[in-house]
Amino acid sequence: LNGSARQESSLFTVQSPNVVYTDDEIKSKYAYQTTEITRTADNKLVATPKATNYNFKVNRKVGKVGMMLVGWGGNNGSTVTAGILANRRNISWETREGKQASNYYGSIVMGSTVKLGTDAKTGEDINIPFHDLLPMVHPNDLAIGGWDISSLNLAESMDRAQVLEPALKSQVRKEMAEMKPLPSIYYPDFIAANQEDRADNILEGDKACWAHVEKIQQDIRDFKAQNGLDKVVIMWTANTERYADIIPGVNDTADNLINSIKTGHLEVAPSTVFAVAAILEDTPFINGSPQNTFVPGALQLAEQRRAFIGGDDFKSGQTKMKSALVDFLINAGIKLTSIASYNHLGNNDGKNLSSQKQFRSKEISKSNVVDDMVAANHILYEKDEHPDHTVVIKYMPAVGDNKRALDEYYAEIFMGGHQTISLFNICEDSLLASPLIIDLVVLAEMMTRISWQADSEGAEYKGFHSVLSILSYMLKAPLTPPGTPVVNALGKQRSALINIFRACVGLQPESEMTLEHKLF
Ligand code: NAI
């Protein structure tokens, strides 16, 4: 099935004077309800309901979509590839617990449902797959390709990763063996020195140059042509790099960054070169690692080109729990006073993170994830007061990809009492991250087909801002448009995503009031 065939069988239509369906588009008029706060002279708050009218337009033609992974031969890259192939062919395999079928568990798009509304006859909730909310690409239909500094084919990478069961691997091995990552760019200074022995598939040159940008652009075009694709989404799932220094005149503006690539400045990271190439090809680029790929110059270039970018760092295990649990504690009126987070892991990610500069990137992205929730509660916290927060990561080869995350949450409760919550979370790393890669690709692609128009004479349809903060649910350190707030709370991130998609088909947010069940 290609995307346009799927669109014919959409699960629901909206019956409303504000929503119009054509073969190619869904158009909606939407009143965005907010509350505007002003202050009186004696500093009292005045809340005024406000409605802003928007028109949304969704292109229903999904087309053929490709996903290109930087770091394709890594644990995530090989696992997500095998997972999609297995789902596409509906493979099942023997385990000691019986037959296991392929699935997309852990993907918000493929594994979660959304309440559409209430049954007119029975009053029951009607829940639909998230994937059916708008016409989205199906992950089974994604063409897959990418780059790696390691030359192993995907079957060999899958073995090296030690993630999937032998009985599953044997059924996808032949197809995986035919997949070979394109040579990539390798500037040794940016990833740990202990990665050097796998770097045998690299383009000439050990610092940024324009030829690298052009080669990546050409790779994108070739991949599109070879697979007959309408568009591609690129994902950085390669090693965590060290932070790049932000230097005025070097990477602070789009022009300076381009010039620095051309003159081979040493502070330009491989991930930034990939981002620049993707932006110039108008291809969405998502950063699944914690480093500051999107230096100010890269961000400005994306804005100038109206290209989509998103990041940073997949939110898969420990931090996902944290952004749900801390939201719960603080919203319950409990004063969280410290979080101690310990991890040990034995995969190649852990090996890379055993180097101090790369660990530092991860430490930064793991550390700020409760700030918005703390700042929102001025009853529990004074201005600028924060819970203590420590993050430790250790490389422990024996546990492989089965990362251990140990967290202690210490909180102050009623009348000086204390609550201590200890979590032991075994995060099968690549099996948690792979569905996030799928979600990020599906949702980023979806965003390329949504446009909006102000409800005024002569207003034009435009896209969303280049920085796709709507992807925050999947990301540990969500990138947002400059000057806009970062939301880390998991529940809020999910609501934003679902409610924006509902607005695109003219539906109000699900308010959870269920008044129909509460009144006499
Ligand atoms: P991995 O180390 O198994 O895979 C990374 C791959 O990138 C390797 O195959 C390596 O050869 C390749 N690589 C390195 N530099 C490259 C370059 N310049 N161009 C092309 N390929 C390059 O790591 P894994 O476990 O797949 O994780 C990937 C990234 O995702 C890491 O940065 C990790 O921190 C991040 N991440 C992973 C999570 C998870 O697995 N649950 C959660 C959050 C982030």
Side-chain angles (χ1 to χ4, degrees):
L1 279 181
N2 64 28
S4 48
R6 285 178 195 283
Q7 159 243 310
E8 303 305 333
S9 61
S10 58
L11 198 63
F12 71 94
T13 49
V14 177
Q15 197 179 25
S16 155
N18 295 327
V19 182
V20 176
Y21 291 82
T22 66
D23 279 351
D24 292 346
E25 286 169 354
I26 307 171
K27 283 180 161 180
S28 68
K29 279 183 191 302
Y30 182 77
Y32 176 51
Q33 310 279 355
T34 50
T35 308
E36 196 172 69
I37 308 293
T38 50
R39 285 168 203 271
T40 59
D42 55 349
N43 218 16
K44 292 256 171 3
L45 303 178
V46 179
T48 314
K50 194 178 154 196
T52 313
N53 294 322
Y54 292 109
N55 299 325
F56 288 107
K57 189 165 76 177
V58 177
N59 177 346
R60 302 176 78 183
K61 302 283 181 203
V62 180
K64 285 200 75 179
V65 183
M67 156 173 107
M68 293 186 88
L69 305 176
V70 194
W72 192 19
N75 282 25
N76 288 345
S78 56
T79 305
V80 71
T81 302
I84 290 175
L85 295 185
N87 271 285
R88 187 185 291 165
R89 289 176 21 215
N90 209 5
I91 285 173
S92 49
W93 61 97
E94 285 301 334
T95 73
R96 63 183 165 192
E97 286 150 355
K99 237 186 171 53
Q100 173 67 50
S102 303
N103 63 39
Y104 280 116
Y105 289 4
S107 153
I108 187 177
V109 170
M110 300 305 295
S112 85
T113 60
V114 174
K115 179 176 164 184
L116 181 65
T118 316
D119 191 300
K121 281 207 180 99
T122 63
E124 284 169 26
D125 285 357
I126 301 292
N127 295 294
I128 62 164
F130 183 109
H131 188 261
D132 287 302
L133 210 43
L134 289 178
M136 298 179 215
V137 65
H138 193 291
N140 288 355
D141 298 337
L142 291 172
I144 311 171
W147 302 262
D148 205 292
I149 56 171
S150 158
S151 64
L152 296 195
N153 67 46
L154 266 283
E156 294 164 329
S157 310
M158 161 175 83
D159 288 339
R160 175 175 57 188
Q162 301 182 6
V163 173
L164 298 168
E165 295 293 335
L168 164 57
K169 287 197 292 183
S170 65
Q171 295 185 65
V172 291
R173 179 170 306 282
K174 192 160 163 281
E175 221 175 322
M176 298 278 282
E178 285 161 12
M179 298 174 150
K180 210 170 171 313
L182 296 160
S184 193
I185 48 183
Y186 175 51
Y187 311 153
D189 182 42
F190 279 88
I191 59 175
N194 62 30
Q195 298 296 309
E196 195 183 347
D197 54 354
R198 68 195 279 151
D200 62 355
N201 190 39
I202 55 183
L203 300 172
E204 207 176 303
D206 60 2
K207 59 180 196 291
C209 62
W210 201 251
H212 285 170
V213 174
E214 286 177 341
K215 173 69 167 65
I216 304 302
Q217 287 182 272
Q218 191 58 48
D219 288 344
I220 300 169
R221 283 183 223 138
D222 290 347
F223 181 68
K224 270 186 174 167
Q226 285 153 9
N227 294 282
L229 302 175
D230 298 300
K231 66 195 101 163
V232 166
V233 177
I234 300 182
M235 178 85 48
W236 179 273
T237 178
N239 287 20
T240 297
E241 297 173 331
R242 70 164 173 83
Y243 257 54
D245 292 337
I246 307 298
I247 308 172
V250 172
N251 46 17
D252 54 343
T253 68
D255 286 347
N256 288 341
L257 176 61
I258 286 173
N259 196 41
S260 298
I261 296 175
K262 289 183 172 162
T263 55
H265 198 284
L266 296 177
E267 270 315 298
V268 182
S271 63
T272 302
V273 171
F274 268 95
V276 167
I279 291 165
L280 295 178
E281 284 299 301
D282 193 20
T283 297
F285 183 87
I286 320 282
N287 176 30
S289 301
Q291 72 277 340
N292 61 345
T293 298
F294 301 115
V295 294
L299 218 142
Q300 192 185 54
L301 185 67
E303 286 180 1
Q304 284 172 359
R305 299 271 173 162
R306 298 244 182 271
F308 284 132
I309 57 174
D312 296 311
D313 205 7
F314 303 124
K315 179 155 79 169
S316 57
Q318 183 177 50
T319 305
K320 192 172 235 163
M321 287 295 295
K322 193 174 286 177
S323 66
L325 192 64
V326 173
D327 194 31
F328 144 64
L329 286 170
I330 295 180
N331 281 334
I334 291 173
K335 183 172 181 176
L336 177 70
T337 50
S338 75
I339 313 170
S341 291
Y342 303 90
N343 302 259
H344 57 269
L345 72 171
N347 56 16
N348 190 54
D349 183 26
K351 189 175 170 193
N352 184 58
L353 294 177
S354 65
S355 161
Q356 178 55 30
K357 283 184 178 165
Q358 286 68 27
F359 164 71
R360 181 67 191 134
S361 297
K362 200 60 134 186
E363 188 181 37
I364 295 171
S365 93
K366 275 180 171 276
S367 294
N368 300 325
V369 301
V370 300
D371 290 357
D372 54 324
M373 303 167 233
V374 170
N377 192 326
H378 57 83
I379 300 175
L380 301 177
Y381 300 96
E382 304 279 334
K383 193 170 180 321
D384 296 328
E385 183 186 356
H386 293 281
D388 297 340
H389 191 178
T390 292
V391 177
V392 178
I393 303 176
K394 291 292 170 193
Y395 179 47
M396 190 83 80
V399 303
D401 205 62
N402 293 340
K403 182 174 78 188
R404 268 69 174 153
L406 291 86
D407 293 72
E408 185 191 89
Y409 295 85
Y410 189 53
E412 189 177 331
I413 55 173
F414 193 47
M415 299 306 218
H418 289 98
Q419 180 176 18
T420 307
I421 302 169
S422 283
L423 279 182
F424 183 72
N425 186 354
I426 300 179
C427 311
E428 291 195 84
D429 241 8
S430 308
L431 297 175
L432 289 174
S434 293
L436 303 190
I437 293 179
I438 292 168
D439 287 343
L440 287 163
V441 170
V442 171
L443 295 172
E445 190 289 321
M446 186 67 240
M447 294 309 290
T448 67
R449 288 182 289 112
I450 301 178
S451 47
W452 69 277
Q453 180 194 43
D455 191 26
S456 58
E457 239 348 87
E460 281 179 20
Y461 276 101
K462 297 187 208 164
F464 274 59
H465 191 277
S466 286
V467 179
L468 287 174
S469 61
I470 193 169
L471 305 177
S472 299
Y473 181 90
M474 277 74 59
L475 297 161
K476 247 196 300 277
L479 198 67
T480 62
T484 65
V486 176
V487 175
N488 287 294
L490 195 70
K492 280 192 188 178
Q493 291 172 333
R494 190 173 194 277
S495 297
L497 179 57
I498 288 169
N499 289 331
I500 290 171
F501 280 13
R502 288 177 71 93
C504 291
V505 287
L507 296 175
Q508 283 297 318
E510 175 45 56
S511 73
E512 316 295 355
M513 286 165 74
T514 56
L515 266 188
E516 59 276 32
H517 302 311
K518 294 194 167 71
L519 306 176
F520 266 124

mmCIF file of all heavy atoms in Angstrom, residues 89-104:
data_model
loop_
_atom_site.group_PDB
_atom_site.id
_atom_site.type_symbol
_atom_site.label_atom_id
_atom_site.label_comp_id
_atom_site.label_asym_id
_atom_site.label_seq_id
_atom_site.Cartn_x
_atom_site.Cartn_y
_atom_site.Cartn_z
ATOM 1 N N ARG A 89 6.941 -7.572 6.782
ATOM 2 C CA ARG A 89 6.687 -8.932 6.319
ATOM 3 C C ARG A 89 5.891 -9.740 7.326
ATOM 4 O O ARG A 89 5.720 -10.946 7.182
ATOM 5 C CB ARG A 89 8.023 -9.614 5.989
ATOM 6 C CG ARG A 89 8.614 -8.982 4.719
ATOM 7 C CD ARG A 89 9.980 -9.475 4.311
ATOM 8 N NE ARG A 89 10.346 -10.772 4.850
ATOM 9 C CZ ARG A 89 11.590 -11.107 5.203
ATOM 10 N NH1 ARG A 89 12.565 -10.253 5.059
ATOM 11 N NH2 ARG A 89 11.841 -12.299 5.679
ATOM 12 N N ASN A 90 5.441 -9.070 8.385
ATOM 13 C CA ASN A 90 4.569 -9.726 9.371
ATOM 14 C C ASN A 90 5.216 -10.976 9.959
ATOM 15 O O ASN A 90 4.570 -12.018 10.099
ATOM 16 C CB ASN A 90 3.234 -10.063 8.698
ATOM 17 C CG ASN A 90 2.106 -10.063 9.692
ATOM 18 O OD1 ASN A 90 2.320 -9.720 10.861
ATOM 19 N ND2 ASN A 90 0.924 -10.482 9.264
ATOM 20 N N ILE A 91 6.474 -10.869 10.288
ATOM 21 C CA ILE A 91 7.255 -12.022 10.742
ATOM 22 C C ILE A 91 6.943 -12.336 12.209
ATOM 23 O O ILE A 91 6.755 -11.431 13.020
ATOM 24 C CB ILE A 91 8.765 -11.711 10.572
ATOM 25 C CG1 ILE A 91 9.136 -11.790 9.094
ATOM 26 C CG2 ILE A 91 9.639 -12.616 11.419
ATOM 27 C CD1 ILE A 91 10.543 -11.341 8.792
ATOM 28 N N SER A 92 6.885 -13.623 12.530
ATOM 29 C CA SER A 92 6.907 -14.013 13.939
ATOM 30 C C SER A 92 8.007 -15.046 14.133
ATOM 31 O O SER A 92 8.501 -15.629 13.172
ATOM 32 C CB SER A 92 5.544 -14.537 14.406
ATOM 33 O OG SER A 92 5.069 -15.488 13.515
ATOM 34 N N TRP A 93 8.445 -15.231 15.362
ATOM 35 C CA TRP A 93 9.588 -16.102 15.630
ATOM 36 C C TRP A 93 9.421 -16.789 16.979
ATOM 37 O O TRP A 93 8.684 -16.301 17.839
ATOM 38 C CB TRP A 93 10.899 -15.303 15.570
ATOM 39 C CG TRP A 93 10.994 -14.191 16.562
ATOM 40 C CD1 TRP A 93 11.610 -14.215 17.775
ATOM 41 C CD2 TRP A 93 10.422 -12.873 16.433
ATOM 42 N NE1 TRP A 93 11.467 -13.016 18.410
ATOM 43 C CE2 TRP A 93 10.742 -12.167 17.611
ATOM 44 C CE3 TRP A 93 9.672 -12.218 15.451
ATOM 45 C CZ2 TRP A 93 10.331 -10.854 17.837
ATOM 46 C CZ3 TRP A 93 9.268 -10.911 15.677
ATOM 47 C CH2 TRP A 93 9.601 -10.242 16.842
ATOM 48 N N GLU A 94 10.126 -17.911 17.109
ATOM 49 C CA GLU A 94 10.028 -18.692 18.343
ATOM 50 C C GLU A 94 10.898 -18.069 19.443
ATOM 51 O O GLU A 94 12.035 -17.681 19.204
ATOM 52 C CB GLU A 94 10.524 -20.133 18.106
ATOM 53 C CG GLU A 94 9.561 -21.022 17.340
ATOM 54 C CD GLU A 94 8.197 -21.193 18.017
ATOM 55 O OE1 GLU A 94 8.101 -21.060 19.258
ATOM 56 O OE2 GLU A 94 7.221 -21.436 17.269
ATOM 57 N N THR A 95 10.363 -17.981 20.635
ATOM 58 C CA THR A 95 11.170 -17.625 21.810
ATOM 59 C C THR A 95 10.894 -18.691 22.863
ATOM 60 O O THR A 95 10.006 -19.527 22.673
ATOM 61 C CB THR A 95 10.764 -16.255 22.403
ATOM 62 O OG1 THR A 95 9.507 -16.404 23.071
ATOM 63 C CG2 THR A 95 10.651 -15.192 21.326
ATOM 64 N N ARG A 96 11.593 -18.651 23.989
ATOM 65 C CA ARG A 96 11.331 -19.681 25.008
ATOM 66 C C ARG A 96 9.946 -19.518 25.623
ATOM 67 O O ARG A 96 9.426 -20.393 26.278
ATOM 68 C CB ARG A 96 12.423 -19.691 26.072
ATOM 69 C CG ARG A 96 12.516 -18.413 26.860
ATOM 70 C CD ARG A 96 13.654 -18.480 27.843
ATOM 71 N NE ARG A 96 13.965 -17.156 28.350
ATOM 72 C CZ ARG A 96 15.051 -16.880 29.041
ATOM 73 N NH1 ARG A 96 15.925 -17.818 29.291
ATOM 74 N NH2 ARG A 96 15.263 -15.668 29.468
ATOM 75 N N GLU A 97 9.339 -18.340 25.400
ATOM 76 C CA GLU A 97 7.985 -18.139 25.938
ATOM 77 C C GLU A 97 6.904 -18.395 24.898
ATOM 78 O O GLU A 97 5.730 -18.149 25.142
ATOM 79 C CB GLU A 97 7.856 -16.698 26.454
ATOM 80 C CG GLU A 97 8.595 -16.479 27.748
ATOM 81 C CD GLU A 97 9.109 -15.061 27.918
ATOM 82 O OE1 GLU A 97 8.977 -14.247 26.984
ATOM 83 O OE2 GLU A 97 9.659 -14.793 28.998
ATOM 84 N N GLY A 98 7.302 -18.878 23.719
ATOM 85 C CA GLY A 98 6.319 -19.143 22.663
ATOM 86 C C GLY A 98 6.577 -18.252 21.467
ATOM 87 O O GLY A 98 7.636 -17.634 21.352
ATOM 88 N N LYS A 99 5.575 -18.180 20.588
ATOM 89 C CA LYS A 99 5.746 -17.405 19.363
ATOM 90 C C LYS A 99 5.596 -15.911 19.642
ATOM 91 O O LYS A 99 4.674 -15.499 20.358
ATOM 92 C CB LYS A 99 4.675 -17.841 18.349
ATOM 93 C CG LYS A 99 5.281 -18.321 17.051
ATOM 94 C CD LYS A 99 4.209 -18.602 16.006
ATOM 95 C CE LYS A 99 4.784 -18.863 14.648
ATOM 96 N NZ LYS A 99 5.803 -19.867 14.522
ATOM 97 N N GLN A 100 6.506 -15.113 19.092
ATOM 98 C CA GLN A 100 6.428 -13.657 19.257
ATOM 99 C C GLN A 100 6.166 -13.023 17.887
ATOM 100 O O GLN A 100 6.872 -13.314 16.927
ATOM 101 C CB GLN A 100 7.744 -13.144 19.840
ATOM 102 C CG GLN A 100 7.880 -11.641 19.904
ATOM 103 C CD GLN A 100 6.913 -11.009 20.898
ATOM 104 O OE1 GLN A 100 6.819 -11.434 22.045
ATOM 105 N NE2 GLN A 100 6.176 -10.004 20.442
ATOM 106 N N ALA A 101 5.148 -12.174 17.822
ATOM 107 C CA ALA A 101 4.854 -11.513 16.552
ATOM 108 C C ALA A 101 5.511 -10.125 16.522
ATOM 109 O O ALA A 101 5.747 -9.523 17.564
ATOM 110 C CB ALA A 101 3.347 -11.375 16.392
ATOM 111 N N SER A 102 5.782 -9.622 15.328
ATOM 112 C CA SER A 102 6.310 -8.260 15.189
ATOM 113 C C SER A 102 5.266 -7.258 15.678
ATOM 114 O O SER A 102 4.059 -7.486 15.523
ATOM 115 C CB SER A 102 6.592 -7.955 13.716
ATOM 116 O OG SER A 102 7.468 -8.893 13.181
ATOM 117 N N ASN A 103 5.718 -6.168 16.243
ATOM 118 C CA ASN A 103 4.761 -5.117 16.623
ATOM 119 C C ASN A 103 5.484 -3.777 16.684
ATOM 120 O O ASN A 103 6.698 -3.703 16.468
ATOM 121 C CB ASN A 103 4.083 -5.439 17.964
ATOM 122 C CG ASN A 103 5.074 -5.492 19.118
ATOM 123 O OD1 ASN A 103 5.996 -4.694 19.189
ATOM 124 N ND2 ASN A 103 4.890 -6.447 20.015
ATOM 125 N N TYR A 104 4.714 -2.745 16.962
ATOM 126 C CA TYR A 104 5.289 -1.407 17.088
ATOM 127 C C TYR A 104 5.090 -0.869 18.508
ATOM 128 O O TYR A 104 4.850 0.324 18.705
ATOM 129 C CB TYR A 104 4.672 -0.461 16.050
ATOM 130 C CG TYR A 104 5.270 -0.614 14.655
ATOM 131 C CD1 TYR A 104 4.500 -1.047 13.572
ATOM 132 C CD2 TYR A 104 6.607 -0.315 14.421
ATOM 133 C CE1 TYR A 104 5.045 -1.173 12.305
ATOM 134 C CE2 TYR A 104 7.164 -0.436 13.152
ATOM 135 C CZ TYR A 104 6.391 -0.862 12.106
ATOM 136 O OH TYR A 104 6.949 -0.975 10.853
#
